[in-house]
Amino acid sequence: MITKTIPTYEIDNFANMTPTMSKNRYEALKLDIKSNGQKQEILLRNNKIIDGRHRYKACIELGIIPLVKELGNLTDKQVIKEIKSYTQGKASTPSQLAAEALKHY
């Protein structure tokens, strides 16, 4: 039996541009990843997470190898632009989360 090792990634300081999830929201994300798989890639800059730290943590806890997208050697300005464009459609309030969830059912 071949066991796959989950890669270890450091968290880049830019990952903190997005808010930390509440415990309930994080548990909902983890349950969604467990039930439906990881839908959105984790963004990396030089092998460090710039977006997706919660997805990464959930994948580790679930024993799932995360889907990542390496963006390479971006400048700080390019990282900010990438994070803003990547997170633009993410729901952030409970009402937005509920509306987003309804789209999938």
Side-chain angles (χ1 to χ4, degrees):
M1 181 172 141
I2 299 173
T3 304
K4 293 185 179 182
T5 304
I6 297 174
T8 302
Y9 300 107
E10 291 181 45
I11 308 296
D12 190 285
N13 290 334
F14 280 100
N16 295 321
M17 285 181 60
T18 56
T20 301
M21 286 185 174
S22 68
K23 183 176 179 171
N24 288 343
R25 187 168 173 195
Y26 172 74
E27 290 301 324
L29 169 69
K30 189 171 150 183
L31 180 61
D32 184 59
I33 291 173
K34 182 179 181 179
S35 300
N36 303 306
Q38 181 188 344
K39 298 174 191 156
Q40 194 172 28
E41 296 169 321
I42 296 165
L43 296 182
L44 305 176
R45 171 176 73 161
N46 297 326
N47 220 32
K48 291 185 179 181
I49 296 172
I50 61 171
D51 184 70
R53 67 188 189 275
H54 299 104
R55 279 171 269 144
Y56 178 64
K57 180 181 175 189
C59 286
I60 289 172
E61 290 177 9
L62 294 168
I64 297 170
I65 296 176
L67 302 173
V68 299
K69 180 179 180 180
E70 175 61 63
L71 300 175
N73 192 25
L74 300 178
T75 65
D76 290 352
K77 189 174 182 177
Q78 289 171 316
V79 168
I80 292 168
K81 184 179 178 182
E82 190 68 36
I83 291 171
K84 284 182 179 179
S85 68
Y86 202 68
T87 60
Q88 192 171 23
K90 288 184 182 178
S92 58
T93 67
S95 297
Q96 289 172 326
L97 288 170
E100 189 65 29
L102 282 174
K103 289 179 187 178
H104 299 288
Y105 294 100

